Every structure is written in structure tokens, then in C-alpha cells.
Amino acid sequence: MTMTERELRILLNDMSLEEKVGQMVQLPGQNYGSFAAVTGKAEKKEDGQPILDQAGSTLGIYGAEKLKKIQKAYMEKQPHHIPLMFMLDVIHGYETAFQCPLGMGASFDPELVKKCAEIAAKEAAAGGIHVTFSPMADLARDARWGRVMESTGEDPWLNGKMAAAMVEGFQGENRNQTGKVSSCVKHFAAYGAATAGLDYTNVELSEHTLREYYLKAYQEGIHAGCDMVMTSFNTWNGVPSTGNPWLMKEVLRKEMGFDGIVISDWGAVGEMVNHGFCEDRKEAAERALKAGVDIDMCSDCYADYLVDLVREGVIDEKEIDEAVYRILLLKNELGLFENPYKDADEQREKELFLCEGHRRTAREMVQKSAVLLKNEEDGKAGKLLPLNPAEKIAFIGPYIEGEDMRSSWVVTGSAKNSVSICQAAKEAFREDQICFAKGCTLLDNDTLLNGSEYHSDSWEEDNDRLLCEAIQTAKQADVVVLCLGEQNHQSGEATSRTHLTLPKIQRTLLSEISKVNPRIVTVIFSGRPLELSEVETHSKAMLEVWMPGTEGGHGIMDLLTGVCSPSGKLTMSFPYTVGQEPMSYSQFTSGRPCPKGSKAPFLTRYLDCSTAPLYPFGYGLSYTDFSISEPTLDRTEMQAGETIVASVTVANGGKRTGCEVVQLYIQDVAASCVRPVKELKGFRRVELAPGEAQRVTFSISEEMLRFHRGDGSFGSEPGKFRLWIGNSSEDGEAREFFLY
Ligand code: BGC
């Protein structure tokens, strides 16, 4: 039995001002546990400081045994024995690490994404966690920004589906059930539009663009019922989100209907002083509170100043009460007043962590999220992938062994639990069929990681020797599988880059190998779109596998060997060159569009590069041959309340079972605001056996055609529309229809 509203109000009324403010303070886990994940300044308090017994929540620590002890000791000292809330970044798995979010997006499979979130919630809850700081619903269109890895990509509508799936997976029907945690949608708002992809900087967007593209996915997470929303570090319209009452109160609470807790990002309240938006930390506390931030994550501004601000009459205590009530309400909904340990249980940890079922789902996600970028004809033998077991295969590259397959955002568990390429290859092939060589170190010696240089001792010698060995290994083999990519700390928070190429050391390895054995399959590990033109030139086949997680080796081997056929589709455009960033298939239309192949002057184009990406949004090949017929429409005119049914036939004309992601795009040809060249409005994953065909239909309604208009209203406008149904954002014949 949870507490009634009346009981909660009685509790609130009985709390001192200091105690109430304590609930609004989140301290870094260092203050409670030996190890804690940190993403900012984390000062340790002196034992005996009252705030230690009063802070309402902490983050970055985990583990049933540890958290139970901390909870017990804390509650004994807490004046009203209110439990502490434990929060953590469970971004793509807890002990069982799943594919990173950008990869999950590429699965175009929200049900599977939900299942991964359910498993992550089960494991995290067993480890004592109550709230996860996930999903990140930020729209990501600039691959220079390292955090694109934590997003599901460049499309607002798809991101919305994925954000909702994650919220539902984490929270379920009722968070106080076993195996559920609260979900925090972040970072509100428009963090993904950081200028030039530079983390923590300013965002320059019109309100129209903000609403049309950036707010949509947060809204879907809120509709799905997320308990918390986190503010973003950036400024928008000159105001830091954490101090923006219009954003938090008007947009988030009134327009979007969010009634849960707003938490700042790490240190973001205090950072308003650095932004030059507040004179000092006291003003920052005032502005954040007045903007509607309920919990101050790790800046201590609330802890240091809120009590004084109330006593001085600057802040009305009622505002404090409102925030604290929301916090108590969530603790109540999590069932913490009855059972402050919730699911924390060492036995459950043992049973759940990395159990067979969880690993199976992680493997399935790798299979469905990897994107086959290229698979060329290779003489008489057909295509290079799937691998031919009659041939000798060399697995070469710094990613074949030992390296962590998880991203920098899996803070729990051990890298040792990840299945490497070597291990998976040894399980899949006979010993005499395969050989291995590391080839080079993962990074050049002078790469900056977390602000300091990456050093492999004896670098020169290592890499010369490794390259020689790799060349010999490649010579002995019929095919080379070259595993290259980003180090896992090259993407994620604070990992902005101005170059998107693979490290030079890896490019040298690729070109040297290609001289002795051109039959190269390149497997690319990355948390962002990379510049792959050079890799493409030297590779006969290419598979993008992202940061695949614990079951990476197995899932990748399933794809390389043809146990299953790739079906992932890119959710971010892959550029030819970094100079094209930011990029997206759904840009607003230009007054001088450049038709494909046109040589005419004075058009929207670069002089030295295509305006199109190397690989577009929605793109991904398969081992089988799918065809999608031209779309037919049951009618070409409709009005509100009616629908048009558009359909295609998808056929598998190849020799293998496979899955195609059929995508529907729509363009509003003319409207009172400039509209995107096309927008994703639907998709279906269709699995077909060889020779099989299926009719796929999409229902188009007036609701799907609504947009944010210049006068602030949201609605559709009559006129002409185009639609495409195809296997990527660049595929399909256009059809027209009219809305009256
Ligand atoms: C990140 C958030 C994260 C928080 C807590 C911040 O630096 O921006 O995404 O949830 O740290 O770890």
C-alpha cells in the first residue's frame, strides 16, 4: 500500500524548510559509496554535514548490497526517515550491455528497443536503482557532436517512437512493480543542436525549427508517461534551459502536459554563472527554481542558498512545497516508503545479470541493428558477404580482441563480459579456417581522450611489428575481415570532433592490407557517422556495427556468416566529408534545389562535394534481393476525417530469408511555412522467405500532415502532397495526393 495524497501532504507539512530543500538536492554518489560514475565536478562532503542526511537523491552508485547499506544508514539519520532515491545513467543496458542507442534506432524495431529497456530496468532495479537518466530524446543531426551515439538519430518522428518505447520498457504500467524503474527524458531542450557540434555550447534555432523538429521526441516520451525530465546544458534564444521559465513552465508543463519532476543536468544550475546569465550561485539557485527546476543535480546551489532565499522573501515557500511534493510523490509511486530497498537483491542480481535470455536479446539487437553499407560482386564467387566457409578468413584489426564493445555510457559491469570478434570467430569456424592479427593500435598516439593523450608505450615499434604481422596474415587468407573503428571514449559526452575519419594508423592498415589482399570486408565500430569514402574505396563489403554491446562478437559473426541477413537502416546520414555537417534528409526546401546530377550554376550545392550524403538516412542493404513495387493509392483526394491507403508489394527475389524496412515519406508541397523536402511518416519491418511477397499498406490521415505554422498554430493546410514508399529516404517513385 502506497501512501495517500493526504498522508503525503501531512508529511510535507511536518518537514522543516531545511529538510524540504534537502529533497531538492542531488549529491554525487562519492558521498555515499566508494566508486561512483561522474560526468562533472564531484565534491565530497565532510562526514557529519547535515546535507548528507537530508539530500533527497544521489546518482552514479549501484549494487544491491552497497545501496541497501547506504539506504539503511541514511534513513536512520533522516529526520522523517524519507528514503533516498538512487539514480543512474542506464543508457543501453546495465550488466548486459545492448547496442548503443544510435544503433538501436537503426533496428527500426521499437518493440525490440522496448524489450531491451525492460531488461535494463530489471537488472538495474535488482542492483538497487530507482531512476534511469534515459532516454536521450535529443535530435541529432551533427555527427561532430559526440552525443549522437546516445540518440536514435536525425528524425523527430522515429526518435519519438523510440523514446516512447524506452519509457514504456523502463517504467511498465507501474514503477513500484518488481523490475521497473522511473525514466527521465533528457535533455530539454534542443541540446542536439549545439553550434558546430561543440558540446555544452549555445544553440541557435528559430522557435519554428525548435517546435517542428526538436521538441517532438521529448513530447512522445512525456506522452508515454516518463516520471522525470532533465534540463539541457545549452542556451536557447540566449537563455540557459535550466533558467528558462518559458521553456519549463509554458512549453513543458502547460503545452506538453508534463507533471513530473524536472531535474537539472549535472552542475547546470551553477553553470548559469559561467554562461554569464547569473551574477553568482545564489542568483542561479533563484533563477533555476523560478524556471521550474525541482532537483539541482550536483551544483549545490540549492543546498547553499534556497533556505536563505525563502527566508529573505525572494522565493515563496509554496514553490518549494510544490517541488518537494512532486519528489515525495515519485518516491511514493516507486513504493519506497513501504520498501526503501525496492528490488535491490543480491540473489536477483546473480540470477538476472548476463543471464541467457538477456544475452539472447542483446544478440538479436546486434543482428537487427547492424547496417550493411556495401556488398560488391566479387567475380564468379558472387558477393563477399556472407563469408564462404570454404575460404580461409583472416580477422584483422584493433577491434578483434579485448577492446570494449560497449560505449562510454555503460558505467556498470565489466568489459570482460563482452564477446570479442576472436572469441565468436573461434566458436563459428574450425581452427584451420581462420587466422588473426591485431594490425595496429586503436588510436594514433596523439589522440586526445578525455582531455589527455592516448599513449600506447613503444608505439612506433608496436605498430610497425603489428602491421608486418597483419600483412603476412592477410597474404595467407582468401578473405580479410578488417575490424576498425572509434575507441569507445571517442563518442559520448564531451567528445566533439572536427574530423570524422578513422585514425590514420587504421587507414594505413587498411590501405597496406588492400595491396596484398583486396578482398576486404570492413566492419566499422562507431558511435557516430564517420567519413567512410576512403574506407569504401578499399573495401568490397562494409558492415556498420556501432557500439554493439556485450553480445557484439556473436551478433556480428551471425551476420558475417549468414546465420541471419542484415536488416538495419541508418538513422543518421553518413557524410562524404565533415564539411557537410550538420546534415539531414529532411531539410527545409531550398529556393534553388539542385536536381541529382545537374551541372547548372547558382544552385544549392557545394562546389567541391555532393550535397547528398555518402549513405542516406534509411539506407541499408541485405543479403537477399528485395523489390518494392511503385505505390498505389486507393484515392488521391481526402479531407479531415478521411484516409488514403497507400500500398506497395514487397517481394524477396533473392535466395535467402531477409527483412526489409519499408519506409513511407511525405512532402507537403506548398504551405504557409517552408516544409521539409520529405519526412518519414511510417515504416514496417517485413520478413520474407525467398520467393515470398507481401502487400504493405499505410493509412494516411490529415493528422499526419499537421505542422507548426508561423502564427503559432498547429494544423494541416489543404493542397498538394507527395509521397514515396521505398527502402531508404532516397528511394521510391513519387505519388501525389490532395487534402481539401
Ligand atoms: C549528462 C547527463 C547525465 C548526467 C548524470 C551529465 O553530464 O549530460 O546526460 O544523465 O551527467 O550522469
Side-chain angles (χ1 to χ4, degrees):
M1 263 298 284
T2 50
M3 285 164 82
T4 61
E5 195 181 323
R6 193 167 161 272
E7 285 168 329
L8 283 178
R9 292 269 173 215
I10 292 172
L11 170 63
L12 179 67
N13 289 340
D14 202 47
M15 289 163 75
S16 68
L17 179 59
E18 285 76 4
E19 210 186 330
K20 287 192 275 194
V21 167
Q23 290 300 311
M24 300 169 72
V25 172
Q26 180 161 91
L27 292 183
Q30 279 70 9
N31 289 287
Y32 302 96
S34 46
F35 168 80
V38 286
T39 48
K41 203 167 130 211
E43 268 166 19
K44 181 130 174 37
K45 309 274 173 233
E46 297 296 321
D47 282 347
Q49 269 183 267
I51 195 66
L52 276 175
D53 309 334
Q54 292 191 352
S57 58
T58 182
L59 82 167
I61 45 176
Y62 47 89
E65 191 186 353
K66 189 202 282 180
L67 298 199
K68 280 197 288 189
K69 271 194 200 139
I70 293 171
Q71 186 71 292
K72 187 164 184 297
Y74 169 89
M75 285 181 68
E76 278 164 10
K77 292 191 201 150
Q78 217 283 336
H80 281 88
H81 311 297
I82 299 170
L84 186 62
M85 206 155 31
F86 295 110
M87 309 196 188
L88 186 73
D89 291 282
V90 183
I91 307 294
H92 55 114
Y94 184 81
E95 284 281 329
T96 309
F98 295 99
Q99 177 60 275
C100 71
L102 188 59
M104 286 203 203
S107 71
F108 276 72
D109 192 340
E111 274 307 309
L112 186 58
V113 169
K114 180 173 166 186
K115 198 168 165 193
C116 293
E118 278 167 357
I119 291 174
K122 268 190 203 162
E123 292 191 1
I129 300 304
H130 305 142
V131 179
T132 172
F133 296 128
S134 177
M136 184 178 106
D138 301 318
L139 190 73
R141 296 187 156 185
D142 193 332
R144 292 171 295 181
W145 190 51
R147 303 198 78 168
V148 302
M149 183 271 287
E150 300 165 58
S151 83
T152 48
E154 71 179 48
D155 186 76
W157 186 79
L158 182 70
N159 285 0
K161 292 263 170 272
M162 295 303 182
M166 289 189 210
V167 172
E168 285 163 13
F170 288 131
Q171 296 194 165
E173 290 291 304
N174 195 344
R175 3 260 173 265
N176 71 16
Q177 279 172 356
T178 307
K180 295 297 170 199
V181 294
S182 274
S183 161
C184 174
V185 166
K186 66 189 187 185
H187 307 84
F188 198 76
Y191 184 34
T195 304
L198 193 56
D199 213 354
Y200 313 124
T201 54
N202 188 28
V203 161
E204 285 301 332
L205 290 178
S206 66
E207 187 179 331
H208 177 245
T209 303
L210 178 79
R211 290 182 180 279
E212 199 46 33
Y213 292 128
Y214 284 84
L215 295 185
K216 285 185 177 168
Y218 309 115
Q219 176 75 77
E220 292 307 310
I222 291 161
H223 272 157
C226 70
D227 289 324
M228 282 175 60
V229 166
M230 188 187 291
T231 68
S232 58
F233 285 123
N234 57 280
T235 63
W236 176 76
N237 218 11
V239 181
S241 303
T242 310
N244 190 336
W246 176 80
L247 200 56
M248 300 300 158
K249 292 193 165 162
E250 289 303 313
V251 179
L252 180 65
R253 293 226 184 265
K254 281 202 196 136
E255 291 181 24
M256 295 185 161
F258 178 65
D259 59 2
I261 295 172
V262 174
I263 186 168
S264 79
D265 202 345
W266 186 302
V269 177
E271 284 169 23
M272 291 199 288
V273 178
N274 300 345
H275 277 297
F277 182 71
C278 300
E279 194 77 41
D280 52 28
R281 295 174 61 250
K282 187 170 182 182
E283 189 189 340
E286 178 192 337
R287 281 190 175 251
L289 191 275
K290 288 188 171 163
V293 174
D294 301 317
I295 299 181
D296 169 5
M297 184 197 291
C298 303
S299 91
D300 280 356
C301 293
Y302 279 11
D304 293 344
Y305 299 108
L306 277 193
V307 171
D308 290 349
L309 285 164
V310 173
R311 300 237 156 95
E312 288 159 14
V314 178
I315 283 174
D316 187 339
E317 192 165 346
K318 277 201 199 115
E319 292 195 65
I320 304 280
D321 287 352
E322 266 180 42
V324 177
Y325 185 73
R326 280 193 279 267
I327 297 165
L328 295 179
L329 200 60
L330 181 59
K331 291 187 176 185
N332 192 38
E333 279 172 0
L334 282 159
L336 297 183
F337 289 105
E338 290 69 42
N339 176 11
Y341 309 113
K342 198 169 181 296
D343 299 2
D345 182 344
E346 295 88 320
Q347 189 54 34
R348 258 180 86 72
E349 286 185 323
K350 279 200 198 109
E351 284 162 19
L352 290 174
F353 289 179
L354 297 158
C355 68
E356 210 192 313
H358 293 185
R359 279 189 176 272
R360 209 179 310 122
T361 303
R363 185 169 181 162
E364 185 185 347
M365 184 46 105
V366 181
Q367 295 168 347
K368 289 188 169 166
S369 56
V371 182
L372 183 64
L373 298 174
K374 177 175 180 179
N375 197 14
E376 249 182 19
E377 288 296 336
D378 177 50
K380 279 193 216 123
K383 294 184 172 165
L384 210 51
L385 284 178
L387 297 169
N388 176 354
E391 294 190 318
K392 177 131 188 171
I393 302 150
F395 290 91
I396 297 178
Y399 248 108
I400 63 168
E401 58 184 29
E403 282 305 332
D404 197 347
M405 299 242 173
R406 311 167 319 154
S407 82
S408 54
W409 270 116
V410 180
V411 294
T412 41
S414 159
K416 290 201 193 88
N417 296 321
S418 302
V419 178
S420 69
I421 293 289
C422 278
Q423 182 189 332
K426 285 178 188 160
E427 289 172 22
F429 295 96
R430 282 193 327 266
E431 213 176 303
D432 60 326
Q433 287 178 291
I434 46 178
C435 48
F436 302 99
K438 185 172 175 188
C440 66
T441 49
L442 197 50
L443 297 177
D444 298 328
N445 215 27
D446 55 358
T447 311
L448 276 187
L449 273 188
N450 297 330
S452 50
E453 273 183 22
Y454 169 83
H455 273 291
S456 124
D457 301 332
S458 64
W459 179 77
E460 298 284 344
E461 182 207 9
D462 263 351
N463 277 304
D464 288 347
R465 181 179 53 77
L466 292 173
L467 180 61
C468 287
E469 280 170 12
I471 290 172
Q472 290 315 314
T473 310
K475 278 183 185 164
Q476 292 162 27
D478 300 308
V479 185
V480 176
V481 175
L482 203 52
C483 298
L484 308 176
E486 284 190 310
Q487 207 266 3
N488 58 3
H489 280 85
Q490 279 186 296
S491 56
E493 187 172 349
T495 59
S496 303
R497 287 171 62 187
T498 60
H499 293 100
L500 298 175
T501 50
L502 287 173
K504 191 156 174 283
I505 193 85
Q506 295 192 30
R507 287 184 278 136
T508 305
L509 175 68
L510 171 62
S511 76
E512 291 303 312
I513 296 284
S514 72
K515 290 179 192 158
V516 298
N517 190 339
R519 299 182 75 221
I520 296 177
V521 175
T522 307
V523 179
I524 302 132
F525 295 75
S526 72
R528 49 150 61 93
L530 295 175
E531 283 181 45
L532 294 176
S533 309
E534 190 183 333
V535 178
E536 207 255 358
T537 314
H538 292 302
S539 313
K540 291 253 186 294
M542 289 160 75
L543 187 68
E544 168 66 60
V545 298
W546 317 108
M547 298 271 155
T550 311
E551 281 293 304
H554 282 148
I556 293 165
M557 213 50 63
D558 293 338
L559 292 163
L560 293 175
T561 56
V563 167
C564 50
S565 177
S567 57
K569 301 279 182 177
L570 297 180
T571 60
M572 277 188 84
S573 313
F574 272 45
Y576 281 95
T577 161
V578 68
Q580 293 174 294
E581 296 291 328
M583 74 184 318
S584 161
Y585 80 95
S586 69
Q587 293 296 341
F588 290 127
T589 43
S590 149
R592 295 190 180 188
C594 181
K596 226 179 191 166
S598 167
K599 298 252 187 306
F602 301 110
L603 297 181
T604 300
R605 70 140 71 85
Y606 296 110
L607 289 182
D608 53 356
C609 181
S610 160
T611 37
L614 175 62
Y615 299 115
F617 178 90
Y619 171 83
L621 305 171
S622 157
Y623 292 156
T624 194
D625 295 318
F626 288 109
S627 61
I628 301 177
S629 68
E630 287 181 11
T632 53
L633 309 188
D634 68 339
R635 55 202 287 195
T636 53
E637 293 173 2
M638 70 168 177
Q639 47 194 11
E642 297 177 342
T643 52
I644 291 178
V645 177
S647 46
V648 290
T649 300
V650 195
N652 181 354
K655 296 195 177 74
R656 292 172 171 272
T657 295
C659 186
E660 181 61 291
V661 180
V662 183
Q663 302 156 44
L664 166 73
Y665 295 88
I666 294 182
Q667 180 194 22
D668 188 346
V669 178
S672 59
C673 274
V674 177
R675 306 286 295 122
V677 288
K678 54 173 70 166
E679 292 173 286
L680 183 71
K681 291 287 181 181
F683 61 85
R684 303 262 191 293
R685 277 183 70 92
V686 184
E687 187 172 290
L688 296 174
E692 220 185 332
Q694 193 178 310
R695 198 84 187 140
V696 175
T697 59
F698 294 97
S699 245
I700 297 152
S701 64
E702 177 270 332
E703 282 94 339
M704 289 161 72
L705 309 176
R706 295 180 186 171
F707 64 98
H708 292 276
R709 294 191 289 221
D711 63 1
S713 62
F714 181 70
S716 62
E717 290 179 1
K720 194 202 292 185
F721 292 80
R722 287 194 191 106
L723 72 75
W724 297 259
I725 300 177
N727 63 14
S728 86
S729 59
E730 288 189 356
D731 186 44
E733 290 293 320
R735 287 283 177 276
E736 286 180 356
F737 67 92
F738 294 84
L739 175 71
Y740 287 107

mmCIF file of all heavy atoms in Angstrom, residues 39 59 89 133 147 150 186-187 191 230 233 265-266 297 409 493, ligand 1:
data_model
loop_
_atom_site.group_PDB
_atom_site.id
_atom_site.type_symbol
_atom_site.label_atom_id
_atom_site.label_comp_id
_atom_site.label_asym_id
_atom_site.label_seq_id
_atom_site.Cartn_x
_atom_site.Cartn_y
_atom_site.Cartn_z
ATOM 1 N N THR A 39 30.287 12.666 -14.229
ATOM 2 C CA THR A 39 30.362 13.358 -15.510
ATOM 3 C C THR A 39 30.540 14.854 -15.267
ATOM 4 O O THR A 39 30.241 15.664 -16.113
ATOM 5 C CB THR A 39 29.096 13.112 -16.357
ATOM 6 O OG1 THR A 39 27.963 13.321 -15.527
ATOM 7 C CG2 THR A 39 29.047 11.727 -16.927
ATOM 8 N N LEU A 59 23.357 9.948 -7.294
ATOM 9 C CA LEU A 59 23.493 9.287 -8.596
ATOM 10 C C LEU A 59 24.876 8.671 -8.745
ATOM 11 O O LEU A 59 25.820 9.047 -8.048
ATOM 12 C CB LEU A 59 23.251 10.278 -9.748
ATOM 13 C CG LEU A 59 24.416 11.178 -10.184
ATOM 14 C CD1 LEU A 59 24.084 11.830 -11.513
ATOM 15 C CD2 LEU A 59 24.755 12.209 -9.170
ATOM 16 N N ASP A 89 22.756 6.532 -14.886
ATOM 17 C CA ASP A 89 22.630 6.536 -16.346
ATOM 18 C C ASP A 89 22.624 5.085 -16.846
ATOM 19 O O ASP A 89 23.686 4.495 -17.044
ATOM 20 C CB ASP A 89 23.811 7.278 -16.979
ATOM 21 C CG ASP A 89 23.762 8.758 -16.681
ATOM 22 O OD1 ASP A 89 22.984 9.460 -17.336
ATOM 23 O OD2 ASP A 89 24.492 9.201 -15.766
ATOM 24 N N PHE A 133 18.492 7.823 -16.087
ATOM 25 C CA PHE A 133 18.534 9.049 -16.893
ATOM 26 C C PHE A 133 18.490 8.677 -18.365
ATOM 27 O O PHE A 133 19.456 8.845 -19.111
ATOM 28 C CB PHE A 133 19.797 9.846 -16.587
ATOM 29 C CG PHE A 133 19.883 10.349 -15.173
ATOM 30 C CD1 PHE A 133 21.004 10.099 -14.396
ATOM 31 C CD2 PHE A 133 18.845 11.085 -14.617
ATOM 32 C CE1 PHE A 133 21.092 10.573 -13.098
ATOM 33 C CE2 PHE A 133 18.926 11.561 -13.308
ATOM 34 C CZ PHE A 133 20.056 11.295 -12.546
ATOM 35 N N ARG A 147 27.595 13.145 -28.730
ATOM 36 C CA ARG A 147 26.451 12.518 -28.080
ATOM 37 C C ARG A 147 25.425 11.984 -29.067
ATOM 38 O O ARG A 147 24.384 11.478 -28.640
ATOM 39 C CB ARG A 147 25.831 13.491 -27.067
ATOM 40 C CG ARG A 147 26.837 13.944 -26.040
ATOM 41 C CD ARG A 147 26.217 14.540 -24.817
ATOM 42 N NE ARG A 147 25.696 13.514 -23.935
ATOM 43 C CZ ARG A 147 25.307 13.742 -22.673
ATOM 44 N NH1 ARG A 147 25.399 14.966 -22.177
ATOM 45 N NH2 ARG A 147 24.837 12.772 -21.927
ATOM 46 N N GLU A 150 24.178 8.635 -28.245
ATOM 47 C CA GLU A 150 23.146 8.378 -27.234
ATOM 48 C C GLU A 150 21.744 8.646 -27.765
ATOM 49 O O GLU A 150 20.762 8.456 -27.053
ATOM 50 C CB GLU A 150 23.373 9.276 -26.022
ATOM 51 C CG GLU A 150 24.709 9.075 -25.350
ATOM 52 C CD GLU A 150 25.018 10.224 -24.408
ATOM 53 O OE1 GLU A 150 24.227 10.467 -23.494
ATOM 54 O OE2 GLU A 150 26.052 10.892 -24.597
ATOM 55 N N LYS A 186 15.594 13.226 -21.495
ATOM 56 C CA LYS A 186 16.557 14.332 -21.478
ATOM 57 C C LYS A 186 16.979 14.676 -22.887
ATOM 58 O O LYS A 186 16.720 13.884 -23.799
ATOM 59 C CB LYS A 186 17.764 13.959 -20.614
ATOM 60 C CG LYS A 186 18.596 12.804 -21.188
ATOM 61 C CD LYS A 186 19.638 12.343 -20.186
ATOM 62 C CE LYS A 186 20.574 11.332 -20.807
ATOM 63 N NZ LYS A 186 21.519 10.752 -19.880
ATOM 64 N N HIS A 187 17.627 15.783 -23.132
ATOM 65 C CA HIS A 187 17.955 16.922 -22.286
ATOM 66 C C HIS A 187 17.130 18.061 -22.855
ATOM 67 O O HIS A 187 17.346 18.447 -24.010
ATOM 68 C CB HIS A 187 19.429 17.281 -22.368
ATOM 69 C CG HIS A 187 20.369 16.128 -22.102
ATOM 70 N ND1 HIS A 187 20.746 15.219 -23.048
ATOM 71 C CD2 HIS A 187 21.011 15.753 -20.976
ATOM 72 C CE1 HIS A 187 21.590 14.337 -22.529
ATOM 73 N NE2 HIS A 187 21.764 14.635 -21.280
ATOM 74 N N TYR A 191 19.340 20.196 -27.020
ATOM 75 C CA TYR A 191 20.769 20.006 -26.740
ATOM 76 C C TYR A 191 21.511 19.511 -27.982
ATOM 77 O O TYR A 191 22.684 19.824 -28.204
ATOM 78 C CB TYR A 191 20.864 19.008 -25.583
ATOM 79 C CG TYR A 191 22.224 18.686 -25.027
ATOM 80 C CD1 TYR A 191 23.244 19.634 -24.956
ATOM 81 C CD2 TYR A 191 22.474 17.416 -24.504
ATOM 82 C CE1 TYR A 191 24.474 19.310 -24.395
ATOM 83 C CE2 TYR A 191 23.694 17.089 -23.944
ATOM 84 C CZ TYR A 191 24.696 18.038 -23.895
ATOM 85 O OH TYR A 191 25.910 17.711 -23.346
ATOM 86 N N MET A 230 14.962 16.016 -17.752
ATOM 87 C CA MET A 230 16.212 16.694 -17.381
ATOM 88 C C MET A 230 16.416 17.915 -18.270
ATOM 89 O O MET A 230 16.166 17.854 -19.476
ATOM 90 C CB MET A 230 17.389 15.724 -17.560
ATOM 91 C CG MET A 230 18.713 16.250 -17.032
ATOM 92 S SD MET A 230 20.105 15.147 -17.445
ATOM 93 C CE MET A 230 19.752 13.725 -16.436
ATOM 94 N N PHE A 233 22.167 21.479 -21.060
ATOM 95 C CA PHE A 233 23.252 22.407 -20.716
ATOM 96 C C PHE A 233 23.226 23.688 -21.555
ATOM 97 O O PHE A 233 23.755 24.704 -21.150
ATOM 98 C CB PHE A 233 24.602 21.729 -20.983
ATOM 99 C CG PHE A 233 24.994 20.688 -19.978
ATOM 100 C CD1 PHE A 233 25.273 19.385 -20.368
ATOM 101 C CD2 PHE A 233 25.138 21.010 -18.634
ATOM 102 C CE1 PHE A 233 25.673 18.431 -19.449
ATOM 103 C CE2 PHE A 233 25.541 20.060 -17.704
ATOM 104 C CZ PHE A 233 25.805 18.761 -18.118
ATOM 105 N N ASP A 265 20.594 19.190 -15.376
ATOM 106 C CA ASP A 265 21.711 18.309 -15.689
ATOM 107 C C ASP A 265 22.836 18.602 -14.688
ATOM 108 O O ASP A 265 22.770 19.535 -13.898
ATOM 109 C CB ASP A 265 22.172 18.493 -17.146
ATOM 110 C CG ASP A 265 22.932 17.260 -17.639
ATOM 111 O OD1 ASP A 265 23.345 16.429 -16.793
ATOM 112 O OD2 ASP A 265 23.131 17.107 -18.851
ATOM 113 N N TRP A 266 23.859 17.789 -14.763
ATOM 114 C CA TRP A 266 24.945 17.819 -13.763
ATOM 115 C C TRP A 266 25.586 19.217 -13.695
ATOM 116 O O TRP A 266 26.223 19.659 -14.660
ATOM 117 C CB TRP A 266 26.003 16.780 -14.132
ATOM 118 C CG TRP A 266 27.099 16.627 -13.112
ATOM 119 C CD1 TRP A 266 27.936 17.597 -12.655
ATOM 120 C CD2 TRP A 266 27.458 15.428 -12.414
ATOM 121 N NE1 TRP A 266 28.801 17.083 -11.725
ATOM 122 C CE2 TRP A 266 28.538 15.746 -11.558
ATOM 123 C CE3 TRP A 266 26.989 14.110 -12.433
ATOM 124 C CZ2 TRP A 266 29.152 14.798 -10.738
ATOM 125 C CZ3 TRP A 266 27.605 13.168 -11.618
ATOM 126 C CH2 TRP A 266 28.668 13.513 -10.777
ATOM 127 N N MET A 297 20.967 18.911 -9.696
ATOM 128 C CA MET A 297 21.921 17.805 -9.744
ATOM 129 C C MET A 297 23.343 18.352 -9.560
ATOM 130 O O MET A 297 23.897 18.998 -10.442
ATOM 131 C CB MET A 297 21.824 17.055 -11.090
ATOM 132 C CG MET A 297 22.713 15.832 -11.168
ATOM 133 S SD MET A 297 22.967 15.239 -12.873
ATOM 134 C CE MET A 297 21.401 14.611 -13.333
ATOM 135 N N TRP A 409 29.036 5.015 -22.173
ATOM 136 C CA TRP A 409 27.879 5.183 -21.299
ATOM 137 C C TRP A 409 27.418 3.916 -20.610
ATOM 138 O O TRP A 409 26.330 3.888 -20.033
ATOM 139 C CB TRP A 409 26.713 5.826 -22.047
ATOM 140 C CG TRP A 409 26.753 7.322 -21.960
ATOM 141 C CD1 TRP A 409 26.915 8.186 -22.993
ATOM 142 C CD2 TRP A 409 26.628 8.135 -20.783
ATOM 143 N NE1 TRP A 409 26.906 9.484 -22.532
ATOM 144 C CE2 TRP A 409 26.730 9.474 -21.177
ATOM 145 C CE3 TRP A 409 26.455 7.861 -19.429
ATOM 146 C CZ2 TRP A 409 26.665 10.540 -20.286
ATOM 147 C CZ3 TRP A 409 26.384 8.925 -18.539
ATOM 148 C CH2 TRP A 409 26.478 10.239 -18.963
ATOM 149 N N GLU A 493 29.529 11.820 -24.175
ATOM 150 C CA GLU A 493 29.583 13.206 -23.710
ATOM 151 C C GLU A 493 30.989 13.795 -23.873
ATOM 152 O O GLU A 493 31.994 13.100 -23.688
ATOM 153 C CB GLU A 493 29.162 13.267 -22.237
ATOM 154 C CG GLU A 493 29.040 14.696 -21.749
ATOM 155 C CD GLU A 493 28.452 14.816 -20.357
ATOM 156 O OE1 GLU A 493 27.934 13.823 -19.826
ATOM 157 O OE2 GLU A 493 28.513 15.930 -19.797
HETATM 158 C C1 BGC B 1 24.952 14.279 -18.697
HETATM 159 C C2 BGC B 1 23.624 13.608 -18.487
HETATM 160 C C3 BGC B 1 23.731 12.572 -17.409
HETATM 161 C C4 BGC B 1 24.245 13.224 -16.156
HETATM 162 C C5 BGC B 1 24.364 12.264 -14.997
HETATM 163 C C6 BGC B 1 25.566 14.752 -17.412
HETATM 164 O O1 BGC B 1 26.885 15.176 -17.595
HETATM 165 O O2 BGC B 1 24.801 15.350 -19.588
HETATM 166 O O3 BGC B 1 23.174 13.052 -19.676
HETATM 167 O O4 BGC B 1 22.496 11.955 -17.212
HETATM 168 O O5 BGC B 1 25.526 13.758 -16.419
HETATM 169 O O6 BGC B 1 25.389 11.385 -15.155
#
